[in-house]
Amino acid sequence: MMVVLVTGASSGFGRAIAKKFGENAHKVIALARRKDKLESLQKEIPQCEILSCDVCDKEGLKQSLETLPKDFKTIDILVNNAGLALGIEPAQMCDFNDWERMIEVNITALSYLTHLVLPQMVERKNGHIITLGSIAGKYPYPGGNVYGATKAFVRQFALGLRADLAGTNVRVSDIEPGLAESEFSLVRFKGDKERANALYQGSNALQPQDIAEAVYWVATLPKHININTLEMMPTSQSFSALRVSKA
C-alpha cells in the first residue's frame, strides 16, 4: 500500500488518477481548489484525505500538508497533475495575464510542491515524482507559445531531477499526453463549450482513464525500473507537416 498525493484531483486526469490508485487499495491525498468536487471524490475512494487548497498558495499548501493524519504524511508518490492552458491566440495577441497564470500554475506551483515533498523521499531512499507534461513541450504549434514552453520546462525539470537523484532510489517520470478529452479545453477556451467540444468531435481522443492507466503502470513497475518519459497520443493524432508560408 502506497500513499499517493494527486494535485488537480477534482476533475479530469487528476480525478481519474486518484480513483485508479484508490480502487487498488492505495491511500490517496486529493488536492484541488473545489471542495465540493473533492468531497464527492472522497466518497468513491476507500482511503482518501482531501486538501482544498490552491496549488499557487505556497503558505496554504505547506499548512495543508502539515494537517495530514500521521498515516498519510509519508508520501510515496507525488503526481504533479495540476496545470492549465489559457487561450490559443498568436503571441502578439495574447493576454499577458494568461501567460503569467500558466507560468504560475504549470511551473512555479509544480516546482514548489516538489521541493516540499522531495526531501522525505530522499531521506527514506524511496519515492516517485510523476509529472503531467504534454506533447506540446516537444512539438510547437500555433497558439501553443507559453503553454508549450511551460510543458517543455516540466519535461526538462523531470529529467533534471533524475540526474540529481541518481543513487537515491527516488524515481521520476514525465507523462506526455497528446489530444485528450477533459475540462482542459473548456478552461483554455474560457468556458466556451461549443468550441471545446468541436475540438474533440470525431477524434476518438485520449480519455482521463487512459492517462490514469499510464500513470498507474509507471508507478507500479518493479522498483529497479524508471520510465523517464512516456509520450502518448490517440491513434487519430500524428505529427504536423512543416508549414511553409509563401509570399
Side-chain angles (χ1 to χ4, degrees), residues 86 94-104 190:
L86 292 171
C94 286
D95 183 340
F96 189 74
N97 291 325
D98 289 346
W99 283 9
E100 285 188 310
R101 181 63 177 166
M102 287 187 280
I103 292 168
E104 182 182 33
K190 302 181 180 179

Side-chain angles (χ1 to χ4, degrees), residues 14-24 28 41 44-45 209:
R15 191 179 187 92
I17 292 165
K19 288 181 67 176
K20 180 67 179 179
F21 280 99
E23 290 165 358
N24 283 276
V28 175
L41 173 64
E44 301 177 36
I45 298 177
Q209 292 78 10

Side-chain angles (χ1 to χ4, degrees), residues 210-222:
D210 301 325
I211 311 306
E213 288 290 341
V215 170
Y216 190 78
W217 175 72
V218 163
T220 55
L221 285 170

Side-chain angles (χ1 to χ4, degrees), residues 83-130:
L84 79 167
L86 292 171
I88 198 165
E89 294 78 19
Q92 69 275 17
M93 298 173 64
C94 286
D95 183 340
F96 189 74
N97 291 325
D98 289 346
W99 283 9
E100 285 188 310
R101 181 63 177 166
M102 287 187 280
I103 292 168
E104 182 182 33
V105 177
N106 299 356
I107 295 180
T108 306
L110 178 147
S111 304
Y112 181 69
L113 182 55
T114 302
H115 190 262
L116 283 180
V117 173
L118 188 57
Q120 61 161 288
M121 293 183 175
V122 174
E123 185 178 351
R124 290 184 290 112
K125 289 189 175 295
N126 182 59
H128 200 159
I129 305 289
I130 300 175

Side-chain angles (χ1 to χ4, degrees), residues 6-56:
V6 182
T7 66
S10 60
S11 65
F13 298 172
R15 191 179 187 92
I17 292 165
K19 288 181 67 176
K20 180 67 179 179
F21 280 99
E23 290 165 358
N24 283 276
H26 298 291
K27 294 179 179 178
V28 175
I29 304 165
L31 188 151
R33 289 179 300 170
R34 294 179 288 184
K35 190 175 182 180
D36 58 329
K37 298 281 188 180
L38 291 177
E39 288 173 339
S40 70
L41 173 64
Q42 190 175 36
K43 294 174 183 176
E44 301 177 36
I45 298 177
Q47 299 186 78
C48 181
E49 287 291 321
I50 62 172
L51 299 178
S52 179
C53 177
D54 186 337
V55 290
C56 296

